[in-house]
């Protein structure tokens, strides 16, 4: 396989005092083909961690492992451990539904429910037995997602009538309404125009005060702009992981340098 | 250059095209003639009295009250049994089935059941429902038989409707920390509902015209009353048509034609509803 | 769970131990039972048919049943050779196939290759509605329209005859054949058509030498399904073809099909357990086996066709 990349010299482990997520020797295979190979990394709380790499490098697969969304892909098969505040996400006693309540996700393409704007936000809490005033929570979540002013007069309109950028912010509001601790974002801006993209990037910077964000992106400028830490994945291997600033300006690995300077990928 | 006798080849092409078109329109014309014939024969007998009288030995007094009401009873109970079970089976196969070998087996089984002749279902109904469960020749026995017959159709169409719901919706819902049933009930079923309804209506309209299974379970008796409960004996429109059509007298054939007009009208209405539902959802999407 | 970084109580089961979700499991079980009902139905059919067919074959040797040419189970001397019923069915099916297959294919070609979108959008729903016309209605067409017409043309025609039933059965399966052929032909990628046109072929040549051969498995599957439906057809043949088990090739004579025989016995008062009663199960078993094999063949053929184009 990748003989030019030796895992031990690659992994200058980032250690955090209280990592919110820890992947330990995670390998994920589709049938036989490994998409993620023996990856170990820790995610810091209340920071934005970007996972970058060329398409097909396994970054989305790794991200989806963090809230067990790969459970829905029968061919996907994982070994290793992922710890959430020290608890194994994949232990026999773990309830994947509970995992996803705490670790929310925003997808590549905006995927609002074909329901009203307010129902999109309130459905998650209501199905999970949230007893409080739902309109209050809708407003709070929409405000946090910087969408409130644009939709406050049409909360009962169908969400499918919103623009792409608004839909994606609605999806963020929908995830926030569950009050998760972590929000996983799988290339959240790849289907959006530059203006919408920059709004969402601003939003992420605001949100990190209260939430931990892990974002997968193939847009290196985006990773450089928003993230505190950056992990570079190639061909399923974790090549480099460090502070964003360092990864982009003084990468330790040659492969990383080639990638961030745009020589390939 | 190869000339290839183009003129002749073009002539053949044109002739073939005309032939295909002619054959198509001719067959449609034949069916139109048949439908016109049955309407013409039947219209004379079609009046309020025909709809509100019981069958009789005297053609001029005969009507389809018991048959029409019997069909209504039969279809209502068939819907009651088959729709929940069929939709549930479709949900299981599309949303829950993990072991692909089991679901593949069930799938092949359903496809094959859809091709079993309806008279075989009639024999099944006769032995199982009429005799074994001692339901007699009742509305319930008929409806259960009919339900087994149309279940494959309902399951197949409901699965298609469920499959058409985009996976991104399911993913979004799961990512909020919800269980499968919550996702199905709140998102998958509402989105698939129009498609499911269309399939159900078409399946029920097939059930309305099915005759052979009812003949087998013995619904072909002289019934001059309207069923008052699910355990009552009954007759149905297609049975009444069969009864009248198998008599030698011309008048009874015309009565059969009149009953056919009623039956086809009911079916056409159901089809129209299905088309409208389909049309409306296509537009809103 | 609040917002913010208050992870103090991290040690204790933040991710609730997976409790047995009773409601979820109950729902899943119910749904599974509904899905498995189809398998139960199949088993029931086999058990119900087998339970009466086995004792029947203890009285009547199976070879006498399959190859006997005399079918008189209700009259003395009794004879249980099913061939007259099979030949009656075949006569109907062959006649119907001879009419419905070429016309259905031609209509399918017309709809897929030649008809404008507007024509297609009108004709296709009509076909779907026609597929749903009850078979008893076709029986009525046969006795009140086709048979009188036949008797004008061929005065020797019996009141009950195979030809009339055959014709209406062909009309009955025609919409299905046309619709399925249309689907199969339209599934052929247009790149294939364009490739053939680019070689200077006429529309006839493209259709008959490239498109139809490419869609052959779908087209053949529609034929097999139509034939299977014609074999299982009951009411039209009961009304129009008569009740005379008759080994004949003359379509103007009265015959009896397997299905019509089953109806005939069920209309009479046959005590359960008697040999007459058992005959309908033996005949139904034969019918079930024939139609099942045809459907299996059709689905095999169709599956191959899917593999090619998806």
């Amino acid at each position: 396989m990748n003989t030019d990349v030796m895992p031990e010299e690659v992994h200058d482990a980032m250690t955090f005092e209280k990592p919110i997520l820890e992947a330990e020797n995670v390998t994920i295979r589709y049938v036989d083909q490994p998409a993620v190979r023996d990856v170990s990394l820790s995610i810091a709380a209340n920071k934005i961690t970007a996972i970058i790499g060329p398409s097909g490098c396994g970054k989305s697969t790794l991200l989806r492992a963090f809230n067990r969304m790969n459970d829905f892909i029968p061919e996907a098969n994982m070994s290793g451990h992922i710890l959430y505040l020290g608890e194994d996400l994949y232990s026999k006693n773990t309830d994947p539904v509970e995992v996803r309540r705490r670790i929310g996700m925003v997808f590549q393409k905006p995927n609002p429910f074909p329901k009203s704007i307010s129902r999109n936000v309130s459905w998650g809490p209501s199905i999970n037995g949230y007893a409080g005033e739902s309109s209050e929570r809708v407003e709070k979540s929409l405000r946090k997602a910087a969408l409130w002013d644009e939709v406050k007069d049409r909360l009962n309109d169908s969400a499918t009538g919103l623009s792409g950028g608004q839909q994606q912010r609605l999806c963020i509001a929908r995830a926030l309404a569950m009050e998760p601790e972590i929000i996983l974002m799988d290339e959240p801006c790849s289907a959006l125009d530059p203006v919408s993209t920059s709004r969402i990037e601003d939003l992420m910077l605001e949100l990190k005060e209260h939430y931990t964000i892990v974002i997968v992106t193939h847009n290196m400028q985006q990773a450089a702009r928003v993230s505190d830490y950056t992990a570079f994945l190639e061909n399923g291997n974790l090549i480099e992981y460090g502070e964003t600033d360092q990864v982009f300006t003084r990468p330790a690995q040659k492969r990383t340098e080639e990638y961030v300077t745009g020589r390939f990928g | 250059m190869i000339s290839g006798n183009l003129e002749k080849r073009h002539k053949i092409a044109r002739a073939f095209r005309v032939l295909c078109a002619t054959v198509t329109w001719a067959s449609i014309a034949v069916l139109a003639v048949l439908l016109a014939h049955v309407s013409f024969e039947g219209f004379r007998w079609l009046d309020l009295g025909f709809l509100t009288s019981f069958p009789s030995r005297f053609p001029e007094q005969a009507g389809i009250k018991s048959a029409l009401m019997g069909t209504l009873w039969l279809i209502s109970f068939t819907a009651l049994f088959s729709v929940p079970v069929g939709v549930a089976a479709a949900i299981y196969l599309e949303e829950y089935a993990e072991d692909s070998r089991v679901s593949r087996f069930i799938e092949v089984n359903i496809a094959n059941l859809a091709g079993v002749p309806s008279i075989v279902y009639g024999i099944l109904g006769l032995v199982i429902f009429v005799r074994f469960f001692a339901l007699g020749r009742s509305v319930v026995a008929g409806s259960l038989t009919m339900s087994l017959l149309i279940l494959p159709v309902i399951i197949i169409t409901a699965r298609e409707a469920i499959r058409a719901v985009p996976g991104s919706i399911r993913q979004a819902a799961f990512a909020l920390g919800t269980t499968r049933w919550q996702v199905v009930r709140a998102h998958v079923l509402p989105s698939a509902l129009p498609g499911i309804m269309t399939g159900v209506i078409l399946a029920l309209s097939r059930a309305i015209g099915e005759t052979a299974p009812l003949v087998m379970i013995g619904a072909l008796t002289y019934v001059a009353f309207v069923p008052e409960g699910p355990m009552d004996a009954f007759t149905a429109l297609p049975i009444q048509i069969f009864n009248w059509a198998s008599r030698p007298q011309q008048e009874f054939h015309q009565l059969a034609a009149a009953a056919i007009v009623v039956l086809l009208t009911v079916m056409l209405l159901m089809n129209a509803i299905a088309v409208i539902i389909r049309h409306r959802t296509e537009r809103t999407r | 769970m609040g917002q913010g970084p208050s992870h103090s109580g991290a040690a204790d089961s933040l991710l609730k131990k997976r409790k047995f979700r009773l409601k979820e499991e109950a729902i899943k079980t119910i749904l599974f039972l509904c899905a498995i009902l189809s398998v139960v139905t199949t088993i029931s059919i086999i058990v119900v048919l087998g339970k009466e067919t086995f004792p029947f074959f203890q009285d009547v040797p199976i070879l006498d049943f399959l190859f006997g040419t005399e079918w008189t189970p209700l009259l003395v001397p009794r004879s249980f050779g099913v061939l007259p019923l099979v030949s009656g069915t075949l006569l109907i099916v062959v006649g119907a196939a001879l009419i419905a297959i070429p016309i259905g294919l031609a209509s399918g070609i017309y709809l897929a290759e030649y008809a404008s979108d507007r024509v297609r959008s009108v004709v296709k729903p009509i076909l779907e509605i026609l597929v749903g016309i009850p078979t008893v209605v076709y029986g009525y067409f046969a006795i009140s329209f086709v048979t009188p017409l036949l008797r004008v043309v061929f005065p020797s025609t019996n009141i009950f005859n195979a030809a009339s039933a055959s014709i209406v059965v062909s009309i009955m399966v025609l919409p299905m054949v046309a619709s399925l052929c249309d689907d199969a032909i339209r599934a052929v990628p247009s790149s294939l058509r364009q490739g053939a046109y680019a070689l200077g072929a006429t529309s006839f040549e493209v259709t008959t030498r490239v498109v139809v051969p490419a869609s052959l498995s779908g087209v053949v599957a529609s034929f097999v399904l139509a034939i299977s439906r014609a074999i299982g057809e009951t009411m039209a043949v009961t009304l129009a073809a008569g009740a005379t088990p008759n080994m004949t090739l003359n379509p103007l004579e009265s015959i009896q099909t397997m299905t019509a025989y089953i109806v005939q016995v069920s209309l009479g008062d046959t005590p359960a357990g008697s040999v007459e009663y058992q005959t309908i199960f033996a005949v139904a078993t034969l019918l079930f086996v024939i139609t099942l094999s045809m459907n299996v063949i059709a689905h095999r053929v169709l599956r191959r066709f899917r593999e090619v184009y998806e």
Side-chain angles (χ1 to χ4, degrees):
Chain A
M1 280 168 224
N2 247 19
T3 43
D4 54 306
V5 180
M6 304 303 287
E8 54 268 32
E9 76 174 338
V10 158
H11 195 197
D12 52 351
M14 294 280 301
T15 46
F16 304 105
E17 203 168 305
K18 259 187 189 159
I20 191 161
L21 274 175
E22 288 162 278
E24 289 176 357
N25 306 100
V26 170
T27 297
I28 303 171
R29 296 166 185 279
Y30 293 116
V31 195
D32 285 329
Q33 192 60 35
V36 173
R37 303 166 197 244
D38 197 25
V39 167
S40 300
L41 87 173
S42 306
I43 305 285
N46 291 80
K47 301 285 181 200
I48 298 179
T49 306
I51 305 177
I52 61 169
S55 48
C57 70
K59 53 192 192 299
S60 285
T61 304
L62 178 62
L63 187 77
R64 293 165 59 91
F66 287 145
N67 70 340
R68 296 195 58 170
M69 286 304 278
N70 285 333
D71 289 13
F72 300 110
I73 304 169
E75 308 84 67
N77 181 345
M78 192 189 101
S79 63
H81 297 282
I82 296 179
L83 305 180
Y84 164 74
L85 296 175
E87 277 188 62
D88 190 346
L89 285 185
Y90 286 80
S91 96
K92 236 186 247 147
N93 295 323
T94 304
D95 183 349
V97 174
E98 187 58 37
V99 169
R100 296 183 204 113
R101 281 180 200 176
R102 293 172 172 273
I103 307 177
M105 188 164 212
V106 175
F107 297 83
Q108 189 168 0
K109 262 177 70 186
N111 54 357
F113 300 131
K115 297 181 187 297
S116 73
I117 293 170
S118 73
R119 191 66 188 143
N120 258 278
V121 180
S122 66
W123 185 74
S126 79
I127 210 83
N128 280 302
Y130 174 73
E133 187 68 44
S134 116
S135 66
E136 214 171 85
R137 180 169 285 226
V138 168
E139 177 174 347
K140 208 168 94 189
S141 307
L142 285 171
R143 278 191 193 282
K144 276 197 249 170
L147 189 62
W148 173 251
D149 290 333
E150 290 162 63
V151 299
K152 63 181 178 210
D153 300 324
R154 44 175 174 148
L155 289 175
N156 292 318
D157 290 7
S158 170
T160 46
L162 296 174
S163 76
Q166 289 172 326
Q167 286 188 9
Q168 195 62 304
R169 274 178 285 146
L170 179 63
C171 292
I172 295 174
R174 180 173 67 186
L176 293 179
M178 289 298 297
E179 295 183 353
E181 314 241 351
I182 306 171
I183 302 172
L184 308 174
M185 295 187 168
D186 188 357
E187 307 205 18
C189 303
S190 68
L192 303 182
D193 60 83
V195 176
S196 308
T197 300
S198 90
R199 295 205 62 162
I200 288 186
E201 287 177 5
D202 292 346
L203 178 56
M204 285 162 62
L205 293 172
E206 281 168 35
L207 290 174
K208 80 171 177 178
E209 195 183 324
H210 296 295
Y211 305 89
T212 304
I213 295 176
V214 184
I215 177 175
V216 154
T217 177
H218 59 225
N219 179 338
M220 282 173 288
Q221 286 74 28
Q222 183 169 57
R225 279 194 300 265
V226 300
S227 68
D228 302 298
Y229 300 102
T230 296
F232 171 53
L233 241 64
E234 188 194 18
N235 203 13
N237 295 300
L238 178 63
I239 307 293
E240 181 157 0
Y241 182 37
E243 287 182 23
T244 299
D245 198 33
Q246 176 240 313
V247 169
F248 279 91
T249 54
R250 305 178 305 281
Q253 300 294 326
K254 196 152 172 288
R255 302 291 296 159
T256 314
E257 189 185 345
E258 283 173 351
Y259 182 72
V260 298
T261 53
R263 234 175 288 162
F264 82 103
Chain B
M1 186 179 143
I2 311 161
S3 89
N5 199 0
L6 208 55
E7 201 177 321
K8 189 175 155 217
R9 286 165 54 203
H10 272 309
K11 241 181 224 164
I12 293 175
R14 223 170 298 129
F16 181 69
R17 190 189 177 123
V18 170
L19 178 79
C20 287
T22 314
V23 156
T24 307
W25 291 110
S27 349
I28 292 175
V30 166
L31 271 158
V33 167
L34 290 175
L35 291 173
H37 167 77
V38 68
S39 318
F40 179 78
E41 290 284 307
F43 261 122
R44 248 183 302 167
W45 299 85
L46 258 184
D47 54 21
L48 204 63
F50 182 70
L51 295 178
T52 56
S53 307
F54 289 111
S56 159
R57 278 184 297 132
F58 308 106
E60 54 280 1
Q61 293 171 14
I64 54 168
K65 184 176 183 184
S66 51
L68 199 57
M69 295 308 287
T71 287
L72 277 180
W73 274 92
L74 184 73
I75 283 308
S76 312
F77 275 86
T78 303
L80 201 67
F81 297 139
S82 63
V83 174
V85 174
V87 174
I91 293 173
Y92 180 82
L93 290 173
E94 283 301 314
E95 303 286 328
Y96 283 83
E98 281 151 19
D99 184 349
S100 58
R101 279 220 323 275
V102 173
S103 57
R104 177 95 195 109
F105 175 70
I106 296 177
E107 207 174 304
V108 169
N109 185 58
I110 289 170
N112 286 328
L113 274 183
V116 172
S118 58
I119 195 160
V120 174
Y121 284 98
I123 293 177
L124 184 68
L126 175 69
V127 174
I128 301 277
F129 300 129
V130 176
R131 301 247 165 90
F132 185 73
F133 287 115
L135 295 171
R137 315 190 148 182
S138 60
V139 171
V140 170
S143 305
L144 286 171
T145 308
M146 232 25 136
S147 299
L148 291 186
L149 175 69
I150 63 170
L151 260 179
V153 186
I154 292 184
I155 295 174
I156 291 168
T157 50
R159 285 189 69 179
E160 273 165 23
I162 291 171
R163 209 175 304 149
V165 177
S168 64
I169 303 259
R170 291 184 187 84
Q171 300 240 328
F174 278 125
L176 292 173
T178 52
T179 63
R180 198 169 278 276
W181 176 245
Q182 288 167 337
V183 174
V184 167
R185 215 191 54 184
H187 299 292
V188 177
L189 274 187
S191 296
L193 199 61
I196 292 175
M197 294 260 290
T198 310
V200 163
I201 292 173
L202 292 178
L204 287 178
S205 94
R206 181 180 163 201
I208 278 190
E210 274 296 344
T211 320
L214 298 182
V215 171
M216 287 312 298
I217 66 162
L220 186 71
T221 37
Y222 175 75
V223 175
F225 57 85
V226 170
E228 278 170 0
M231 295 311 292
D232 285 358
F234 71 105
T235 186
L237 262 183
I239 291 286
Q240 191 63 59
I241 293 168
F242 175 62
N243 185 335
W244 279 333
S246 54
R247 297 189 192 192
Q249 298 94 330
Q250 193 63 32
E251 289 86 355
F252 283 110
H253 283 193
Q254 290 169 346
L255 284 174
I260 286 174
V261 172
V262 175
L263 179 64
L264 290 183
T265 309
V266 173
M267 290 184 52
L268 212 62
L269 281 178
M270 293 180 73
N271 274 281
I273 293 170
V275 168
I276 289 170
I277 292 176
R278 194 186 309 171
H279 204 74
R280 194 170 280 173
T281 46
E282 266 167 21
R283 222 180 10 194
T284 53
R285 258 183 203 159
Chain C
M1 57 185 111
Q3 322 167 359
S6 53
H7 302 134
S8 44
D12 264 330
S13 79
L14 280 167
L15 309 169
K16 250 186 266 181
K17 302 301 167 208
R18 183 203 285 259
K19 53 182 189 235
F20 187 68
R21 291 179 182 271
L22 188 66
K23 192 178 156 204
E24 284 290 320
E25 291 302 319
I27 287 170
K28 186 175 175 182
T29 309
I30 292 169
L31 297 176
F32 175 72
L33 290 178
C34 290
I36 211 73
L37 182 69
S38 70
V39 179
V40 176
T41 306
T42 307
I43 295 170
S44 311
I45 290 177
I46 293 168
V47 169
V48 162
L49 293 181
K51 203 168 154 274
E52 300 288 340
T53 305
F54 267 110
F56 174 75
F57 282 133
Q58 276 160 6
D59 289 348
V60 179
I62 191 162
L63 290 178
D64 288 7
F65 175 73
L66 286 178
F67 300 108
T69 56
E70 202 77 40
W71 181 259
T72 54
L74 308 176
L75 306 165
V76 187
R78 291 181 176 187
S79 179
F80 298 97
V82 80
L83 277 186
L85 298 183
V86 173
S87 81
T89 302
L90 266 182
L91 197 58
I92 303 283
V93 169
V94 170
L98 282 179
I99 303 170
I101 285 178
I103 295 181
L105 178 58
S107 301
I109 291 173
Y110 170 72
L111 286 177
E113 297 285 292
Y114 299 131
S116 68
D117 281 352
R118 247 192 69 223
V119 168
R120 206 173 162 277
S121 70
V122 173
V123 173
K124 196 78 179 171
I126 292 181
L127 289 183
E128 273 169 36
I129 292 174
L130 292 178
V131 171
I133 292 185
T135 64
V136 68
V137 174
Y138 285 99
Y140 168 83
F141 289 155
I143 53 173
S144 78
F145 192 86
V146 180
T147 301
L149 208 64
L150 278 174
R151 280 158 71 86
V152 172
V153 185
F154 307 102
S156 70
T157 310
N158 195 307
I159 283 257
F160 298 108
N161 62 84
S164 174
S166 223
I167 291 169
V168 293
V169 171
S170 77
I171 299 175
M172 190 180 90
V173 297
L174 186 58
M176 187 176 91
V177 176
S179 188
L180 290 177
C181 282
D182 169 53
D183 292 344
I185 293 170
R186 284 170 63 87
V188 175
S190 60
S191 57
L192 247 151
R193 275 182 203 94
Q194 285 163 11
Y197 277 121
L199 293 175
T202 65
S203 65
F204 172 70
E205 290 153 358
V206 171
T207 302
T208 54
R209 308 230 180 117
V210 177
V211 176
V212 173
S215 62
L216 202 61
S217 45
V219 168
V220 170
S222 83
F223 296 165
V224 181
L225 287 177
I227 290 171
S228 155
R229 212 181 141 192
I231 293 173
E233 203 322 286
T234 308
M235 298 323 289
V237 293
T238 304
L239 276 168
T244 329
N246 192 353
M247 292 261 294
T248 178
L249 288 177
N250 182 355
L252 302 180
E253 279 184 42
S254 170
I255 51 113
Q256 186 168 42
T257 65
M258 296 188 274
T259 50
Y261 171 74
I262 298 172
V263 169
Q264 187 200 354
V265 174
S266 79
L267 289 181
D269 245 340
T270 338
S274 63
V275 178
E276 297 96 305
Y277 179 76
Q278 287 169 350
T279 54
I280 64 173
F281 290 87
V283 173
T285 303
L286 184 62
L287 184 68
F288 179 69
V289 169
I290 294 174
T291 50
L292 187 67
S293 353
M294 303 214 57
N295 284 307
V296 169
I297 293 171
H299 285 112
R300 282 269 158 81
V301 173
L302 260 179
R303 191 135 28 100
R304 183 169 305 165
F305 149 81
R306 284 206 197 95
E307 277 161 16
V308 178
Y309 288 117
E310 275 173 26

